Amino acid sequence: MKQTGVGSIEGRPGRLGGPSVAAVIPAFNEAGTIAEVVGRTLGLVDRTIVVDDGSSDGTLARVEGLGVQTIRHDRNRGKGESLLTGIRAAEEAGFDYVVTLDADGQHPPECIPQLVAAADPRVIVLGSRTASDDAIPLVRYSANQTANFFISWAAGHWMSDTQCGFRVYPAGLFRQVRLRRARASGFVLESEVLIEACRAGYSVTAVPVPALYDSVLQRPSHFRPLRDTTATVGMVTWKILTWGLFPQGLLRAQRQRLMIGQPGRP
Ligand SMILES: Nc1nc2c(ncn2[C@@H]2O[C@H](COP(=O)(O)OP(=O)(O)O)[C@@H](O)[C@H]2O)c(=O)[nH]1
Ligand SMILES: [Mg+2]
């Protein structure tokens, strides 16, 4: 994949002792928020990697001199590709774990230590915004619920917030897990990896994080509920159909959901 402008590399694995952690922040036209997000992340991880996804608003200039690794896509490739670029760089540099967070301030970096505390070589740690469901706009909440149902079915594992991008991955996971449709749409990768990781024997654990919406955003979300949910549901439906409807996955996920007692939005 062609990339341009691989910037200064700061931080090395193990700098803070214990397992080494790199933060990967995909950024597409986030000049308004990126410097603050980076500033709040830097001290909590061994290295911060910003992937500028072909921004035209000077996003990259805002992090120059802050001591982060920067990678720039020559053109916009979508969130999924941006994550893959950053995670690959972290893995090649020898980091144990990658924490992914958005550049728009929706994921409070102060929660990184809690997420990392739950990290394990065979586990994906998912930030879960269910405790603050009310903060999520209704249309987005409905799209998330639909995605949770289908993705948990295909994974055979109940997940209460499959659409949160605030996560910790073992750095080598993306090399071990086969993703077929990840490039179809920017946001599909984060759904597909949950399904394929569970099928490959990984587990998923949830850590509560706050849901921040209007208060921090300086621009509207790029997420298009209809288009992006349709792309995700299409990817999941294809898998479920080709796996003979995978009834055992549906049963297992729903049994876990009942046991956990999903808090519902009134
Ligand atoms: N939507 C979108 N986000 C991108 C892209 N490339 C990188 N990103 C980053 O992915 C993160 C999530 O995007 P956002 O639009 O906030 O999605 P939302 O929070 O799910 O509504 C942000 O940090 C974006 O800057 C892209 O092509 N499209
Ligand atoms: Mg956002």
Coordinates of all heavy atoms in Angstrom, one line a residue, residues 67-147:
G67 N 6.0 14.6 19.3 CA 6.6 13.4 19.7 C 5.8 12.2 19.4 O 5.8 11.2 20.1
V68 N 5.1 12.2 18.2 CA 4.3 11.1 17.8 C 4.8 10.5 16.5 O 5.5 11.3 15.8 CB 2.8 11.4 17.6 CG1 2.2 11.9 18.9 CG2 2.6 12.4 16.5
Q69 N 4.5 9.3 16.2 CA 4.8 8.7 14.9 C 3.7 9.1 14.0 O 2.5 9.0 14.3 CB 5.0 7.2 14.9 CG 5.2 6.6 13.5 CD 5.5 5.1 13.5 OE1 5.5 4.5 14.6 NE2 5.6 4.5 12.4
T70 N 4.0 9.6 12.8 CA 2.9 10.0 11.9 C 3.1 9.2 10.6 O 4.2 9.0 10.1 CB 2.9 11.5 11.5 OG1 4.2 11.8 11.0 CG2 2.6 12.3 12.7
I71 N 1.9 8.7 10.1 CA 1.9 8.0 8.8 C 0.8 8.7 8.0 O -0.3 8.9 8.5 CB 1.6 6.5 8.9 CG1 2.6 5.9 9.9 CG2 1.6 5.8 7.6 CD1 2.3 4.4 10.2
R72 N 1.0 9.0 6.7 CA 0.0 9.7 5.9 C -0.4 8.8 4.7 O 0.5 8.4 4.0 CB 0.5 11.1 5.5 CG -0.6 11.8 4.6 CD -0.2 13.2 4.4 NE -0.9 13.8 3.3 CZ -2.1 14.3 3.4 NH1 -2.8 14.3 4.5 NH2 -2.7 14.8 2.3
H73 N -1.7 8.6 4.6 CA -2.2 8.0 3.3 C -2.2 9.0 2.2 O -2.6 10.2 2.5 CB -3.6 7.4 3.5 CG -3.7 6.2 4.3 ND1 -4.8 5.7 4.8 CD2 -2.7 5.3 4.7 CE1 -4.6 4.6 5.5 NE2 -3.3 4.3 5.5
D74 N -1.7 8.6 1.0 CA -1.7 9.6 -0.1 C -3.1 10.0 -0.5 O -3.3 11.1 -1.1 CB -0.9 9.0 -1.3 CG -1.4 7.7 -1.7 OD1 -2.3 7.1 -1.0 OD2 -1.0 7.2 -2.7
R75 N -4.1 9.2 -0.2 CA -5.5 9.6 -0.4 C -6.4 9.0 0.6 O -5.9 8.1 1.3 CB -5.9 9.2 -1.8 CG -5.9 7.7 -2.0 CD -6.5 7.3 -3.4 NE -6.3 5.8 -3.5 CZ -7.0 4.9 -3.0 NH1 -8.1 5.2 -2.3 NH2 -6.8 3.6 -3.2
N76 N -7.6 9.5 0.7 CA -8.5 8.9 1.8 C -8.8 7.5 1.5 O -9.2 7.1 0.4 CB -9.8 9.8 1.8 CG -10.8 9.3 2.8 OD1 -11.8 8.8 2.4 ND2 -10.4 9.4 4.1
R77 N -8.6 6.6 2.5 CA -8.9 5.2 2.3 C -9.9 4.6 3.3 O -10.2 3.5 3.2 CB -7.6 4.4 2.5 CG -6.5 4.7 1.5 CD -5.2 4.1 1.9 NE -4.2 4.5 0.9 CZ -3.9 3.9 -0.2 NH1 -4.6 2.8 -0.5 NH2 -3.0 4.3 -1.0
G78 N -10.4 5.4 4.2 CA -11.4 5.0 5.1 C -10.8 4.6 6.5 O -9.6 4.3 6.6
K79 N -11.7 4.5 7.5 CA -11.2 4.2 8.8 C -10.5 2.8 9.0 O -9.5 2.7 9.6 CB -12.3 4.3 9.8 CG -11.8 4.2 11.3 CD -12.9 4.2 12.3 CE -12.3 4.2 13.7 NZ -13.3 4.0 14.8
G80 N -11.1 1.8 8.3 CA -10.6 0.5 8.4 C -9.1 0.4 7.9 O -8.2 -0.1 8.6
E81 N -8.9 0.9 6.8 CA -7.5 0.9 6.2 C -6.6 1.7 7.1 O -5.4 1.4 7.2 CB -7.5 1.5 4.8 CG -8.1 0.7 3.7 CD -7.2 -0.4 3.3 OE1 -6.0 -0.5 3.7 OE2 -7.6 -1.3 2.4
S82 N -7.1 2.8 7.7 CA -6.2 3.6 8.5 C -5.8 2.8 9.8 O -4.7 2.9 10.2 CB -7.0 4.9 9.0 OG -7.4 5.6 7.8
L83 N -6.8 2.1 10.3 CA -6.4 1.3 11.5 C -5.4 0.2 11.1 O -4.4 0.0 11.9 CB -7.7 0.6 12.0 CG -8.7 1.5 12.8 CD1 -10.0 0.8 13.0 CD2 -8.1 2.0 14.1
L84 N -5.6 -0.4 10.0 CA -4.7 -1.5 9.6 C -3.3 -0.9 9.4 O -2.3 -1.6 9.8 CB -5.2 -2.2 8.3 CG -6.3 -3.1 8.4 CD1 -6.7 -3.6 7.0 CD2 -6.0 -4.3 9.3
T85 N -3.2 0.3 8.8 CA -1.9 0.9 8.6 C -1.2 1.1 9.9 O 0.0 0.8 10.1 CB -2.0 2.2 7.9 OG1 -2.5 2.0 6.6 CG2 -0.7 3.0 7.8
G86 N -1.9 1.7 10.9 CA -1.3 2.0 12.2 C -1.0 0.7 13.0 O 0.1 0.6 13.6
I87 N -1.9 -0.2 13.0 CA -1.7 -1.5 13.7 C -0.5 -2.2 13.2 O 0.4 -2.8 13.9 CB -2.9 -2.3 13.8 CG1 -4.0 -1.6 14.6 CG2 -2.7 -3.7 14.3 CD1 -5.4 -2.2 14.4
R88 N -0.4 -2.3 11.9 CA 0.8 -2.9 11.2 C 2.1 -2.3 11.7 O 3.1 -3.0 12.0 CB 0.6 -2.9 9.7 CG 1.3 -4.1 9.0 CD 0.9 -4.1 7.5 NE -0.5 -4.5 7.3 CZ -1.3 -3.8 6.5 NH1 -0.9 -2.8 5.8 NH2 -2.6 -4.3 6.3
A89 N 2.1 -1.0 11.7 CA 3.3 -0.2 12.1 C 3.7 -0.6 13.5 O 4.9 -0.8 13.9 CB 3.1 1.3 11.9
A90 N 2.7 -0.7 14.4 CA 2.9 -1.0 15.8 C 3.5 -2.4 16.0 O 4.4 -2.6 16.7 CB 1.6 -0.8 16.6
E91 N 2.9 -3.3 15.2 CA 3.3 -4.7 15.3 C 4.8 -4.8 14.8 O 5.6 -5.5 15.4 CB 2.4 -5.6 14.5 CG 2.6 -7.1 14.8 CD 2.4 -8.0 13.7 OE1 1.9 -7.5 12.6 OE2 2.7 -9.2 13.8
E92 N 5.0 -4.2 13.7 CA 6.4 -4.3 13.1 C 7.4 -3.7 14.1 O 8.6 -4.1 14.1 CB 6.5 -3.6 11.8 CG 5.9 -4.4 10.7 CD 5.7 -3.7 9.4 OE1 6.1 -2.5 9.3 OE2 5.0 -4.2 8.5
A93 N 7.0 -2.7 14.9 CA 7.9 -2.1 15.8 C 8.1 -2.9 17.1 O 8.9 -2.5 18.0 CB 7.5 -0.6 16.2
G94 N 7.3 -3.9 17.2 CA 7.4 -4.9 18.3 C 6.6 -4.6 19.6 O 6.8 -5.1 20.6
F95 N 5.5 -3.8 19.4 CA 4.6 -3.6 20.5 C 3.7 -4.8 20.8 O 3.4 -5.5 19.9 CB 3.8 -2.3 20.3 CG 4.6 -1.0 20.4 CD1 5.1 -0.5 19.2 CD2 4.8 -0.5 21.6 CE1 5.9 0.7 19.3 CE2 5.6 0.7 21.7 CZ 6.1 1.2 20.6
D96 N 3.4 -5.0 22.1 CA 2.5 -6.1 22.4 C 1.0 -5.8 22.1 O 0.3 -6.7 21.7 CB 2.7 -6.4 23.9 CG 4.1 -6.8 24.3 OD1 4.7 -7.6 23.6 OD2 4.6 -6.3 25.4
Y97 N 0.6 -4.6 22.4 CA -0.8 -4.3 22.3 C -1.0 -2.9 21.6 O -0.1 -2.1 21.6 CB -1.5 -4.2 23.7 CG -1.5 -5.5 24.4 CD1 -0.6 -5.7 25.5 CD2 -2.4 -6.5 24.1 CE1 -0.6 -6.9 26.2 CE2 -2.4 -7.7 24.8 CZ -1.5 -7.9 25.8 OH -1.5 -9.1 26.5
V98 N -2.1 -2.8 21.0 CA -2.5 -1.6 20.3 C -3.8 -1.1 20.9 O -4.8 -1.8 20.9 CB -2.6 -1.8 18.8 CG1 -3.1 -0.5 18.1 CG2 -1.4 -2.3 18.2
V99 N -3.8 0.1 21.3 CA -5.1 0.7 21.7 C -5.5 1.7 20.6 O -4.7 2.5 20.1 CB -5.0 1.4 23.1 CG1 -4.0 2.5 23.2 CG2 -6.4 2.1 23.5
T100 N -6.8 1.5 20.1 CA -7.2 2.4 19.0 C -8.3 3.4 19.6 O -9.1 3.0 20.4 CB -7.9 1.6 17.9 OG1 -9.0 0.8 18.5 CG2 -6.9 0.6 17.3
L101 N -8.1 4.6 19.2 CA -9.1 5.6 19.6 C -9.3 6.7 18.5 O -8.4 6.9 17.7 CB -8.7 6.3 21.0 CG -7.5 7.2 21.1 CD1 -7.7 8.1 22.3 CD2 -6.2 6.4 21.3
D102 N -10.5 7.3 18.6 CA -10.8 8.3 17.5 C -10.1 9.6 17.8 O -9.8 10.0 18.9 CB -12.3 8.4 17.5 CG -13.0 7.2 16.8 OD1 -12.3 6.3 16.5 OD2 -14.3 7.3 16.7
A103 N -10.0 10.3 16.7 CA -9.2 11.6 16.8 C -10.2 12.8 17.1 O -9.7 13.9 17.2 CB -8.5 11.8 15.4
D104 N -11.5 12.5 17.2 CA -12.4 13.6 17.3 C -12.8 13.9 18.8 O -13.6 14.7 19.1 CB -13.7 13.4 16.5 CG -14.4 12.1 17.0 OD1 -13.9 11.4 17.9 OD2 -15.4 11.7 16.4
G105 N -12.1 13.2 19.7 CA -12.3 13.5 21.1 C -13.5 12.7 21.7 O -13.8 12.8 22.9
Q106 N -14.0 11.7 21.0 CA -15.2 10.9 21.5 C -14.7 9.9 22.5 O -15.5 9.4 23.3 CB -15.9 10.3 20.4 CG -17.0 11.2 19.7 CD -17.9 10.5 18.8 OE1 -17.5 10.0 17.8 NE2 -19.1 10.4 19.2
H107 N -13.4 9.5 22.4 CA -12.9 8.5 23.3 C -11.9 9.1 24.3 O -10.8 9.5 23.9 CB -12.2 7.4 22.5 CG -13.1 6.7 21.5 ND1 -12.6 6.2 20.3 CD2 -14.4 6.5 21.5 CE1 -13.6 5.7 19.7 NE2 -14.7 5.8 20.4
P108 N -12.3 9.2 25.6 CA -11.4 9.9 26.5 C -10.2 9.1 26.8 O -10.2 8.0 27.3 CB -12.3 10.0 27.8 CG -13.5 9.2 27.6 CD -13.6 8.8 26.1
P109 N -9.0 9.7 26.4 CA -7.7 8.9 26.6 C -7.5 8.5 28.0 O -6.8 7.5 28.3 CB -6.7 9.9 26.1 CG -7.4 10.8 25.2 CD -8.8 11.0 25.7
E110 N -8.1 9.3 28.9 CA -7.9 8.9 30.4 C -8.4 7.5 30.7 O -8.0 7.0 31.8 CB -8.7 10.0 31.2 CG -8.1 11.4 31.2 CD -8.3 12.1 29.8 OE1 -9.3 11.8 29.1 OE2 -7.5 13.0 29.5
C111 N -9.2 6.9 29.8 CA -9.7 5.6 30.1 C -8.7 4.5 29.6 O -8.9 3.3 29.8 CB -11.1 5.3 29.4 SG -12.4 6.3 30.1
I112 N -7.7 4.9 28.9 CA -6.7 3.9 28.3 C -6.2 3.0 29.4 O -6.1 1.8 29.2 CB -5.6 4.7 27.6 CG1 -6.1 5.3 26.3 CG2 -4.4 3.7 27.3 CD1 -5.1 6.1 25.5
P113 N -5.7 3.5 30.6 CA -5.2 2.5 31.6 C -6.2 1.4 32.0 O -5.8 0.3 32.2 CB -4.9 3.4 32.8 CG -4.6 4.8 32.2 CD -5.6 4.9 31.0
Q114 N -7.5 1.8 32.1 CA -8.5 0.8 32.4 C -8.6 -0.3 31.3 O -8.8 -1.5 31.6 CB -9.9 1.4 32.6 CG -10.0 2.1 33.9 CD -10.8 3.4 33.7 OE1 -10.3 4.5 33.7 NE2 -12.1 3.3 33.7
L115 N -8.6 0.2 30.1 CA -8.7 -0.8 28.9 C -7.5 -1.7 28.9 O -7.6 -2.9 28.7 CB -8.8 0.0 27.6 CG -10.1 0.8 27.4 CD1 -10.1 1.4 26.0 CD2 -11.3 -0.1 27.4
V116 N -6.3 -1.0 29.1 CA -5.1 -1.8 29.0 C -5.0 -2.8 30.2 O -4.4 -3.9 30.0 CB -3.8 -0.9 29.0 CG1 -2.5 -1.6 29.2 CG2 -3.8 -0.1 27.7
A117 N -5.5 -2.5 31.3 CA -5.5 -3.4 32.4 C -6.2 -4.7 32.1 O -5.9 -5.7 32.7 CB -6.1 -2.7 33.7
A118 N -7.1 -4.7 31.2 CA -7.9 -5.9 30.8 C -7.2 -6.6 29.7 O -7.7 -7.6 29.2 CB -9.3 -5.5 30.5
A119 N -6.1 -6.1 29.1 CA -5.5 -6.7 27.9 C -4.9 -8.1 28.2 O -4.5 -8.4 29.3 CB -4.4 -5.8 27.4
D120 N -5.0 -8.9 27.2 CA -4.5 -10.3 27.3 C -4.2 -10.7 25.8 O -4.8 -10.2 24.9 CB -5.7 -11.1 27.8 CG -5.3 -12.6 27.9 OD1 -5.3 -13.3 26.9 OD2 -4.9 -13.0 29.0
P121 N -3.2 -11.5 25.7 CA -2.8 -11.9 24.3 C -3.9 -12.6 23.5 O -3.9 -12.7 22.3 CB -1.6 -12.9 24.5 CG -1.1 -12.7 25.9 CD -2.3 -12.1 26.7
R122 N -4.9 -13.2 24.2 CA -6.0 -13.9 23.4 C -7.3 -13.1 23.5 O -8.4 -13.7 23.3 CB -6.2 -15.3 24.0 CG -4.9 -16.2 23.9 CD -4.5 -16.4 22.4 NE -5.5 -17.1 21.6 CZ -5.4 -17.2 20.3 NH1 -4.4 -16.6 19.7 NH2 -6.3 -17.8 19.6
V123 N -7.3 -11.8 23.9 CA -8.5 -11.1 24.1 C -8.5 -9.8 23.4 O -7.5 -9.1 23.3 CB -8.7 -10.8 25.6 CG1 -9.8 -9.8 25.9 CG2 -9.0 -12.1 26.4
I124 N -9.7 -9.4 22.8 CA -9.9 -8.0 22.4 C -10.7 -7.3 23.5 O -11.7 -7.8 24.0 CB -10.8 -8.0 21.1 CG1 -10.1 -8.6 19.9 CG2 -11.1 -6.5 20.7 CD1 -10.9 -8.7 18.6
V125 N -10.2 -6.2 23.9 CA -10.9 -5.4 24.9 C -11.7 -4.3 24.2 O -11.2 -3.5 23.5 CB -9.9 -4.7 25.9 CG1 -10.6 -3.9 27.0 CG2 -8.9 -5.7 26.5
L126 N -13.0 -4.3 24.5 CA -13.9 -3.4 23.8 C -14.4 -2.4 24.8 O -14.9 -2.7 25.9 CB -15.2 -4.2 23.5 CG -15.5 -4.7 22.1 CD1 -16.9 -5.3 22.0 CD2 -15.3 -3.6 21.1
G127 N -14.2 -1.1 24.5 CA -14.8 0.0 25.2 C -16.3 -0.2 25.0 O -16.8 -0.4 23.9
S128 N -17.1 -0.1 26.1 CA -18.5 -0.3 26.0 C -19.3 0.9 26.6 O -19.1 1.2 27.8 CB -18.9 -1.6 26.7 OG -20.3 -1.8 26.6
R129 N -20.1 1.5 25.8 CA -20.8 2.7 26.2 C -22.2 2.5 26.7 O -23.0 3.4 26.8 CB -20.9 3.7 25.0 CG -19.5 4.0 24.4 CD -19.6 4.6 23.0 NE -20.1 3.6 22.1 CZ -20.2 3.8 20.8 NH1 -19.8 4.9 20.2 NH2 -20.6 2.8 20.0
T130 N -22.5 1.3 27.1 CA -23.9 1.0 27.5 C -24.3 1.7 28.8 O -25.5 1.9 29.0 CB -24.0 -0.5 27.8 OG1 -23.0 -1.0 28.6 CG2 -24.0 -1.3 26.5
A131 N -23.3 2.0 29.7 CA -23.7 2.7 30.9 C -24.2 4.1 30.7 O -25.0 4.6 31.5 CB -22.5 2.7 31.9
S132 N -23.9 4.7 29.6 CA -24.4 6.0 29.3 C -25.1 6.0 27.9 O -25.0 6.9 27.1 CB -23.2 7.0 29.2 OG -22.1 6.4 28.6
D133 N -26.0 5.0 27.8 CA -26.8 4.8 26.6 C -27.6 6.1 26.2 O -27.7 6.5 25.1 CB -27.9 3.8 26.8 CG -27.4 2.4 26.4 OD1 -26.3 2.3 25.8 OD2 -28.1 1.4 26.6
D134 N -28.0 6.8 27.2 CA -28.9 8.0 27.0 C -28.2 9.1 26.2 O -28.9 9.9 25.6 CB -29.4 8.6 28.3 CG -30.4 7.6 29.0 OD1 -30.7 6.6 28.3 OD2 -30.7 7.8 30.2
A135 N -26.9 9.1 26.2 CA -26.2 10.2 25.5 C -26.1 9.9 24.0 O -25.7 10.8 23.3 CB -24.7 10.3 26.1
I136 N -26.4 8.7 23.6 CA -26.3 8.3 22.2 C -27.5 8.7 21.4 O -28.6 8.4 21.8 CB -26.1 6.8 22.1 CG1 -24.8 6.4 22.9 CG2 -25.9 6.4 20.6 CD1 -24.6 4.9 22.9
P137 N -27.4 9.5 20.3 CA -28.5 9.9 19.5 C -29.4 8.6 19.2 O -28.8 7.6 18.9 CB -27.9 10.5 18.3 CG -26.6 11.0 18.7 CD -26.1 10.0 19.8
L138 N -30.7 8.8 19.1 CA -31.6 7.6 19.0 C -31.3 6.8 17.7 O -31.3 5.6 17.7 CB -33.1 8.1 19.0 CG -34.1 6.9 19.0 CD1 -33.9 6.0 20.2 CD2 -35.5 7.5 18.9
V139 N -31.1 7.5 16.6 CA -30.9 6.8 15.3 C -29.6 6.0 15.4 O -29.5 4.8 14.9 CB -30.9 7.7 14.1 CG1 -29.8 8.7 14.2 CG2 -30.9 7.0 12.8
R140 N -28.6 6.5 16.0 CA -27.3 5.8 16.2 C -27.5 4.7 17.2 O -26.9 3.6 17.0 CB -26.3 6.8 16.7 CG -24.9 6.3 16.6 CD -24.4 6.1 15.2 NE -23.1 5.4 15.1 CZ -22.0 6.1 15.0 NH1 -22.0 7.4 14.9 NH2 -20.9 5.4 15.0
Y141 N -28.3 4.9 18.2 CA -28.5 3.8 19.2 C -29.2 2.6 18.5 O -28.8 1.5 18.7 CB -29.4 4.4 20.3 CG -29.8 3.3 21.4 CD1 -28.9 3.0 22.4 CD2 -31.0 2.7 21.3 CE1 -29.2 2.0 23.3 CE2 -31.3 1.7 22.2 CZ -30.4 1.4 23.3 OH -30.7 0.4 24.2
S142 N -30.2 2.9 17.7 CA -30.9 1.8 17.0 C -30.0 1.1 16.1 O -30.0 -0.2 16.0 CB -32.1 2.4 16.2 OG -32.9 3.2 17.0
A143 N -29.2 1.8 15.3 CA -28.2 1.2 14.4 C -27.2 0.3 15.2 O -26.9 -0.8 14.8 CB -27.4 2.2 13.6
N144 N -26.8 0.8 16.4 CA -25.9 0.0 17.2 C -26.5 -1.3 17.7 O -25.9 -2.3 17.7 CB -25.4 0.8 18.4 CG -24.5 2.0 18.0 OD1 -24.0 2.1 16.9 ND2 -24.1 2.8 19.0
Q145 N -27.8 -1.2 18.1 CA -28.5 -2.4 18.7 C -28.6 -3.4 17.6 O -28.4 -4.6 17.8 CB -29.9 -2.0 19.2 CG -29.8 -1.1 20.4 CD -29.2 -1.8 21.6 OE1 -28.0 -1.5 22.0 NE2 -29.8 -2.8 22.2
T146 N -28.9 -3.0 16.4 CA -29.1 -3.9 15.2 C -27.7 -4.6 15.0 O -27.6 -5.8 14.8 CB -29.5 -3.2 14.0 OG1 -30.7 -2.4 14.3 CG2 -29.8 -4.1 12.8
A147 N -26.7 -3.8 14.9 CA -25.3 -4.3 14.7 C -24.9 -5.3 15.8 O -24.4 -6.4 15.5 CB -24.3 -3.2 14.6

